[in-house]
Amino acid sequence: MLLILLFLPLFCAFAVFLPVRRIFRGGLLCAVSFIHSIIVSSFWLKLPVSEFNGYLVLDSLGLILLSVVSFLFLIVSVFMVGYFKHEQRSNRTFTACLFILLSTMTVVSLSYHMGLLWIAVETTTLLSAPLISFHRNQQTLDVTWKYLLVCSVGIALALMGTFFLAIAAHDLHSLLLPALLNGAASLTVNWLKLSVIFLLVGYGCKMGLAPMHSWKPEVYGQATGMVAVLMSGVLTQCAFLALIRVAQICNKTGLSQFYSSMLIMMALLSFLVPAIFILGEKNIKRAFGYSSVEHMGILVLGLALGGVGVFGALFHMINNAIAKAIMFLTAGSVAQKYGSSSVDKIKGVIHVYPLTGAFLIVSLLAGTGMFPFATFHSELMILNAVIIGQHYILAALFIICLAFIFIGIARIVLEIVYGSSTKPVLANKENFFMNAAIIVSIAALVGIGIWMPTPLVNVLRAATVLVGA
Amino acid sequence: MTAWIDAGCIFIVFFALAILATYRIVGMIHIFALQSFVLGCVPFFLHAEALSARVIAIAIVTIVFKGILVPYILLWAIRHVSIRSEVKPFIGFGLSIILGSLLIAGAFWVSLSLQLPGKAVSNLVLPCSLSTVLLGFMIMVTRTRAVTQVLGYMIMENGIFLFALLLFDGMPTLIEMGILLDIFVAVFIMAIIINHINEEFERAPVAESRSETGESF
Amino acid sequence: MLIGIFLILIHWLFVFLLAPLFVGLVVKVKAFFAGKKGPSVFQPYFDLVKLSRKQCIYSQTTSWVFRAAPVVALASVFVVSLEIPLGILKAPLQFSGDILLLAYLLALSRFFMIASALDTGLSLEGAGASREAFFSCLSELALFMNFITLACLTQSISLSEMIGVNILIPWNLDPVLLLVVASFFIVLLAENCRIPVDDPDTHLELTMIHEVMILDHSGVDLAYMHYASAVKLFLFSGILVMILIIPFQTGNPVKDMLIFLTGMLGLAVLVGVIESSMARLRLNRVRNLLLIAFALAFFGFVITIWRG
């Protein structure tokens, strides 16, 4: 089962290079994502057996990430069909990269060996670079280069951390997660601490935690909507899964205080930095990029606090992904219609495209955690955990920064949605596929927000127990 | 065998320092090829008593990938560029040599407090690998041209690889091959992006400010 | 006492007879690379004899400094040669810390040469003198770093105990040795004004560094200056070869002397080859080259500390 999940997209990646009509590639992506989703849904009923000698194992943590990957790919593939109706460039490399990304992200959620985890995360970093530079002008190339360099350095640091971990586990001779967790007593503490620091900085770079966040607003500002969705919704969560694995090891070896303090420091920075910078933003995609930094901070804060915090963080993984899908897909469709994402060029969307205007308002509410969207519940859970842990100042800072970010995003979105309308570049027509994708995401987010289904609660609980804080 | 391993490690750091001091990009790429070649020979020296197929495979893969293919790809990526030397780095060459020496001393100082478990064939591998990583990082951060930044990244990876040779038993072969392949793909993609940047730069009208700084940003 | 004087005389005879031969060898190698037959290896001797028979001409703008410089240069080189062990010859002058005396005597002679160049009052000599001063700052740095590394390796600060026959702690063929040798070789090229630091055959005053300081001397003074620089090159090469052949010492004195002489021959050929195959570097690149020499010596120093 797992093998089909892995190799089908890889096979299709090669099939993409055949000379076929563009619509076939989009259709192929939709079909493969659909099959992927069906297989993943079957895992919710029964977890599959492990493959490759225990290297690829699906536990409840991996299942959460895998479901996020699957759902977001489905949404993006539907959106893509509509997007490429108006695009001149060939989508060959784009689709091939998307296929390989699907496969590698699956490997990230499945990998139980820290080395394999690193390989998968590095491959996702590398293959998202051609996606960013899809339009190939000077700005996107500059931004792609910056992303590639910053994330490659981060990944190299994570590699060093993995090697330090291997030295710490010298007696165990293995980097498989069960071996590390069972033999936790025999890990050398000094090397383990060094490895945790390097892994945190390395994977944090990939996640976009402050102070390694500098690539985020630029990349999300320049990349097309779909790419931004995949990166902010899935890639960063993949790096977060890596951090969760590190947390598992730390909790077993008694380094949980050490790890939590570093995580809280980074989370705090990740709140403060967007709160300061978002107030001067004029570009809607960049503003959403800062919002992504803030959500990464929320995730990491939940992980650091343990207990309810971890539950909230895992729930937030799902909600953040769907919310980012709504936000960036809407921003992408607006940018395509108006030819720019700047506040100066776009005004009065609701008069020309009522549906897209409504989506923008929804994305504001969903992205900043308003009821009835599920992000509200997950952020509330994490805030709850902060107060239970009696970190009152932290809670106060958390709320203030969230308020600032709400003000910042609201300013931009409301300016774009209302006001006297500017003339759009494209024809006055809403695209069915793009809208369908966004509507499904909104429905999912509201649905989870109002009613959490029992299987979801069970999986989240099992995953929290796995993290073991 | 310890003398050979020591000599190899010293040469690797020396080559990193040499790249720091070189002006011409083609020269830097050639020195990097030499460095990767020496790096590929180190596994042979480390495991001279127990040469297995795995050791030979890793050594050959390193030499072929990093010593031949990567320099070739980088030379291909800059084939259209006319400015063939490093232009206005953030830190001047003399200062960067001195800073590089200080970084090497810092790496040795840090290694004093790191004890490696198990028997040590040569105690120079750890500080030399850390020095190479630091020097590669410094090249990446202080240079303005894209190709030099890629070279800095590759030198970092060389340093990490040298470190990885120490823990041979901890990593299964497949994972090591995967890591090497990943790094190769990284350079491949970076070279393609550089190629796009150069093509874009060639097509765009040459502004006065751009011509001073090459294809950097 | 008598033995002491005898040893000093033997030492001086060895150095002062062979030094011009070394320079002649370098010139011969360069001619070979240029496809010419070149002057005979004994030509420097004939040049020195010819110069010593000529009259010294002194400009009216010069003072006693100008007349003193050649004498100081030759005298300091006389004393320095006593400190350096060559082959099986022990250094007659050795005490703890004699490397400082060596470095500062050379610095004294350089100071007087720079002063004499400035004394003439001509602008090009002044430019060359300033370049010489700048490069010597950097090469001193590298030179001392090398000495510090050797001192840490052998736990002493006397040159004879570092590289001589009575070396305290002999070393094997060591990678650190390679670093020290490389760094010292660059220092040798810089201090003795060889390519790639300075072109000894250049005719253009604008590009001269060392040549411009002996440009205005004539007659016996010029003979003294040429002799002094030849002996300086010989002594530096002697130190370098002694460092290199420590691992190869057999007990036999004849064999050791032969090894030493072969090493000197090889070094002369190497200097000639480098002079023929490279061009002089731009002046700011020379600065980088000397900093590289320092960095190599520093690296060797760090490794020595790390090991010991």
Side-chain angles (χ1 to χ4, degrees):
Chain A
M1 254 320 174
L2 284 179
L3 292 179
I4 305 179
L5 219 54
L6 268 182
F7 288 113
L8 181 61
L10 274 180
F11 176 68
C12 294
F14 292 110
V16 153
F17 284 99
L18 296 170
V20 288
R21 293 254 305 274
R22 235 207 248 166
I23 190 72
F24 292 149
R25 294 200 190 105
L28 189 60
L29 188 61
C30 284
V32 170
S33 321
F34 191 61
I35 298 176
H36 196 267
S37 318
I38 298 217
I39 299 183
V40 170
S41 327
S42 78
F43 290 159
W44 278 83
L45 299 171
K46 187 178 94 78
L47 289 176
V49 295
S50 60
E51 303 271 355
F52 283 129
N53 232 357
Y55 274 71
L56 296 178
V57 176
L58 190 64
D59 59 359
S60 21
L61 281 168
L63 186 59
I64 299 177
L65 184 66
L66 196 55
S67 327
V68 166
V69 169
S70 203
F71 183 67
L72 243 60
F73 255 94
L74 193 57
I75 301 281
V76 162
S77 52
V78 172
F79 189 87
M80 201 176 101
V81 175
Y83 186 82
F84 273 100
K85 276 219 174 72
H86 299 288
E87 274 294 325
Q88 275 83 16
R89 300 187 70 98
S90 152
N91 63 351
R92 200 174 48 185
T93 338
F94 199 81
T95 331
C97 282
L98 280 181
F99 274 123
I100 307 185
L101 263 183
L102 180 58
S103 170
T104 9
M105 286 179 193
T106 317
V107 173
V108 172
S109 27
L110 293 175
S111 66
Y112 242 35
H113 186 272
M114 297 302 282
L116 186 62
L117 181 64
W118 180 87
I119 295 179
V121 174
E122 155 96 338
T123 319
T124 59
T125 310
L126 295 176
L127 287 170
S128 43
L131 293 177
I132 304 175
S133 68
F134 176 60
H135 279 121
R136 233 183 263 184
N137 52 23
Q138 193 66 45
Q139 296 102 304
T140 46
L141 284 173
D142 280 350
V143 148
T144 314
W145 187 247
K146 184 170 186 180
Y147 167 72
L148 209 47
L149 278 187
V150 171
C151 285
S152 298
V153 170
I155 292 294
L157 290 177
L159 184 61
M160 285 195 79
T162 317
F163 286 145
F164 290 154
L165 190 61
I167 291 190
H170 183 84
D171 303 321
L172 298 170
H173 275 290
S174 156
L175 274 185
L176 283 172
L177 206 57
L180 286 174
L181 291 176
N182 289 336
S186 63
L187 295 175
T188 330
V189 176
N190 276 341
W191 284 102
L192 190 61
K193 275 195 181 169
L194 205 59
S195 125
V196 162
I197 295 178
F198 272 86
L199 284 172
L200 178 59
V201 172
Y203 286 128
C205 220
K206 183 71 210 295
M207 245 179 110
L209 286 176
M212 291 92 61
H213 69 285
S214 53
W215 58 271
K216 261 207 170 171
E218 312 217 0
V219 170
Y220 293 163
Q222 288 293 335
T224 60
M226 298 176 281
V227 175
V229 166
L230 283 176
M231 290 182 66
S232 63
V234 192
L235 276 189
T236 44
Q237 325 281 53
C238 288
F240 183 57
L241 181 67
L243 286 181
I244 297 180
R245 300 277 185 219
V246 175
Q248 278 184 287
I249 302 176
C250 281
N251 291 334
K252 267 289 167 67
T253 51
L255 282 183
S256 43
Q257 267 303 93
F258 174 71
Y259 194 48
S260 307
S261 47
M262 287 198 296
L263 283 177
I264 292 183
M265 220 165 34
M266 289 200 147
L268 208 52
L269 272 175
S270 306
F271 296 144
L272 288 172
V273 165
I276 300 174
F277 284 102
I278 207 172
L279 293 173
E281 261 313 319
K282 289 214 173 299
N283 186 318
I284 184 169
K285 280 204 220 160
R286 284 180 66 112
F288 285 164
Y290 278 118
S291 157
S292 170
V293 177
E294 170 231 340
H295 280 282
M296 292 302 119
I298 297 178
L299 282 176
V300 159
L301 183 62
L303 182 62
L305 294 169
V308 178
V310 176
F311 188 88
L314 292 171
F315 191 34
H316 197 69
M317 256 173 92
I318 306 177
N319 303 337
N320 179 43
I322 307 180
K324 285 290 172 296
I326 302 173
M327 285 163 86
F328 279 109
L329 287 181
T330 318
S333 94
V334 167
Q336 198 192 34
K337 293 184 169 72
Y338 282 83
S340 145
S341 353
S342 169
V343 163
D344 307 322
K345 304 264 178 56
I346 316 176
K347 284 239 178 17
V349 174
I350 197 127
H351 305 300
V352 186
Y353 300 103
L355 212 48
T356 314
F359 289 158
L360 275 171
I361 302 281
V362 165
S363 60
L364 162 67
L365 298 175
T368 49
M370 293 285 148
F371 191 81
F373 298 102
T375 35
F376 172 70
H377 293 286
S378 45
E379 286 182 13
L380 193 60
M381 279 184 220
I382 296 180
L383 187 58
N384 201 7
V386 176
I387 300 203
I388 290 179
Q390 293 176 342
H391 307 284
Y392 298 121
I393 306 182
L394 187 60
L397 280 171
F398 184 29
I399 299 180
I400 294 176
C401 293
L402 282 185
F404 269 108
I405 294 174
F406 176 77
I407 296 175
I409 300 185
R411 212 176 56 93
I412 299 182
V413 168
L414 292 176
E415 252 190 80
I416 291 182
V417 174
Y418 297 109
S420 52
S421 42
T422 53
K423 200 166 182 321
V425 174
L426 285 179
N428 278 20
K429 209 163 69 104
E430 300 262 13
N431 189 299
F432 167 69
F433 286 104
M434 298 191 341
N435 292 345
I438 303 180
I439 289 181
V440 167
S441 325
I442 299 179
L445 199 58
V446 173
I448 300 183
I450 298 184
W451 167 65
M452 269 177 80
T454 329
L456 178 61
V457 175
N458 288 341
V459 168
L460 284 175
R461 279 222 188 100
T464 315
V465 167
L466 264 185
V467 173
Chain B
M1 274 296 131
T2 312
W4 288 99
I5 304 174
D6 284 351
C9 296
I10 291 179
F11 268 116
I12 290 175
V13 179
F14 166 63
F15 285 141
L17 208 56
I19 292 184
L20 201 57
T22 313
Y23 286 82
R24 295 174 53 237
I25 293 193
V26 179
M28 286 189 217
I29 298 180
H30 287 154
I31 298 179
F32 170 72
L34 268 174
Q35 188 191 45
S36 309
F37 182 73
V38 174
L39 186 66
C41 295
V42 172
F44 283 130
F45 301 140
L46 265 179
H47 299 265
E49 315 88 42
L51 264 181
S52 60
R54 188 175 156 202
V55 174
I56 300 180
I58 291 209
I60 292 190
V61 161
T62 307
I63 294 180
V64 167
F65 272 178
K66 290 198 194 171
I68 302 178
L69 285 177
V70 167
Y72 182 71
I73 289 179
L74 287 176
L75 286 171
W76 170 82
I78 62 166
R79 68 194 182 287
H80 291 313
V81 175
S82 51
I83 308 174
R84 292 248 157 182
S85 58
E86 179 64 46
V87 181
K88 273 198 287 211
F90 295 124
I91 304 182
F93 283 95
L95 186 56
S96 51
I97 296 177
I98 296 183
L99 258 169
S101 318
L102 287 176
L103 278 178
I104 295 179
F108 273 79
W109 184 70
V110 165
S111 317
L112 273 178
S113 37
L114 293 174
Q115 292 299 327
L116 279 173
K119 65 163 175 61
V121 179
S122 153
N123 65 345
L124 263 189
V125 180
L126 177 61
C128 282
S129 67
L130 282 180
S131 326
T132 318
V133 169
L134 282 176
L135 284 175
F137 188 65
M138 190 184 150
I139 295 177
M140 244 182 122
V141 165
T142 58
R143 295 298 151 98
T144 51
R145 303 208 62 176
V147 189
T148 333
Q149 289 171 337
V150 175
L151 270 176
Y153 174 68
M154 289 308 294
I155 294 173
M156 262 181 89
E157 291 288 345
N158 272 358
I160 299 180
F161 181 78
L162 184 60
F163 182 76
L165 289 175
L166 281 176
L167 27 106
F168 215 61
D169 306 321
M171 284 278 186
T173 318
L174 209 60
I175 302 290
E176 282 201 43
M177 288 304 176
I179 294 177
L180 280 174
L181 188 68
D182 244 342
I183 296 169
F184 178 65
V185 170
V187 178
F188 187 67
I189 292 191
M190 285 179 181
I192 292 183
I193 304 275
I194 293 180
N195 196 34
H196 291 164
I197 293 178
N198 287 340
E199 282 175 1
E200 195 58 39
F201 174 60
E202 296 290 324
R203 259 188 270 135
V206 177
E208 283 311 308
S209 55
R210 297 302 294 199
S211 64
E212 281 177 69
T213 52
E215 89 271 27
S216 59
F217 51 93
Chain C
M1 173 78 176
L2 226 53
I3 306 278
I5 296 183
F6 184 62
L7 283 173
I8 291 179
L9 284 175
I10 295 277
H11 208 88
W12 271 342
L13 214 62
F14 183 70
V15 171
F16 283 88
L17 277 182
L18 288 182
L21 185 61
F22 194 86
V23 176
L25 269 171
V26 175
V27 171
K28 192 78 171 172
V29 171
K30 279 166 70 171
F32 171 73
F33 267 86
K36 299 189 274 202
K37 196 164 162 218
S40 119
V41 284
F42 299 108
Q43 186 61 36
Y45 295 102
F46 299 137
D47 285 339
L48 287 170
V49 169
K50 170 190 81 172
L51 280 172
S52 56
R53 287 202 320 236
K54 297 214 170 184
Q55 183 198 9
C56 295
I57 309 281
Y58 293 114
S59 148
Q60 289 188 331
T61 53
T62 56
S63 63
W64 65 272
V65 179
F66 190 77
R67 292 159 180 68
V71 179
V72 170
L74 197 59
S76 64
V77 141
F78 260 94
V79 178
V80 164
S81 67
L82 288 180
E83 285 188 7
I84 299 179
L86 297 164
I88 51 167
L89 291 175
K90 289 197 200 162
L93 188 63
Q94 46 177 298
F95 50 89
S96 181
D98 58 16
I99 44 172
L100 289 174
L101 184 65
L102 185 151
Y104 281 103
L105 274 177
L106 292 174
L108 182 70
S109 83
R110 193 186 297 116
F111 172 73
F112 265 92
M113 281 212 274
I114 292 178
S116 77
L118 292 172
D119 202 23
T120 61
L122 292 170
S123 51
L124 286 165
E125 274 81 338
S130 78
R131 288 175 201 158
E132 169 80 16
F134 177 51
F135 291 154
S136 64
C137 290
L138 295 173
S139 65
E140 288 266 320
L141 197 62
L143 182 70
F144 268 111
M145 206 67 234
N146 276 311
F147 281 153
I148 293 176
T149 313
L150 287 175
C152 284
L153 261 178
T154 54
Q155 305 287 324
S156 86
I157 50 173
S158 165
L159 194 61
S160 307
E161 284 167 14
M162 277 195 239
I163 62 178
V165 188
N166 43 350
I167 184 172
L168 277 187
I169 304 177
W171 51 69
N172 302 316
L173 205 56
D174 213 1
V176 179
L177 212 55
L178 291 171
L179 288 172
V180 169
V181 162
S183 174
F184 198 81
F185 187 65
I186 299 179
V187 170
L188 185 154
L189 293 176
E191 291 264 350
N192 296 289
C193 315
R194 300 276 133 196
I195 286 180
V197 176
D198 177 20
D199 189 356
D201 293 331
T202 177
H203 305 295
L204 310 166
E205 291 97 334
L206 196 60
T207 60
M208 291 179 183
I209 301 180
H210 172 79
E211 297 298 309
V212 78
M213 292 192 289
I214 63 176
L215 197 63
D216 299 288
H217 295 276
S218 48
V220 186
D221 283 350
L222 192 56
Y224 284 177
M225 295 287 241
H226 275 309
Y227 213 176
S229 43
V231 173
K232 190 169 158 192
L233 178 60
F234 188 75
L235 291 175
F236 266 87
S237 318
I239 299 181
L240 187 57
V241 172
M242 289 301 289
I243 297 178
L244 261 178
I245 65 175
I246 292 281
F248 299 111
Q249 298 286 53
T250 64
N252 195 343
V254 175
K255 272 203 195 143
D256 285 342
M257 203 59 196
L258 272 175
I259 295 177
F260 176 74
L261 287 173
T262 322
M264 293 294 277
L265 182 69
L267 193 57
V269 171
L270 182 62
V271 172
V273 167
I274 289 187
E275 291 232 333
S276 315
S277 51
M278 281 184 75
R280 210 190 84 165
L281 290 176
R282 262 166 56 184
L283 290 176
N284 60 339
R285 311 236 172 152
V286 175
R287 176 196 57 150
N288 292 347
L289 181 69
L290 290 171
L291 283 175
I292 291 178
F294 167 72
L296 286 174
F298 185 69
F299 186 30
F301 172 63
V302 168
I303 295 183
T304 316
I305 298 275
W306 165 261
R307 279 186 178 160

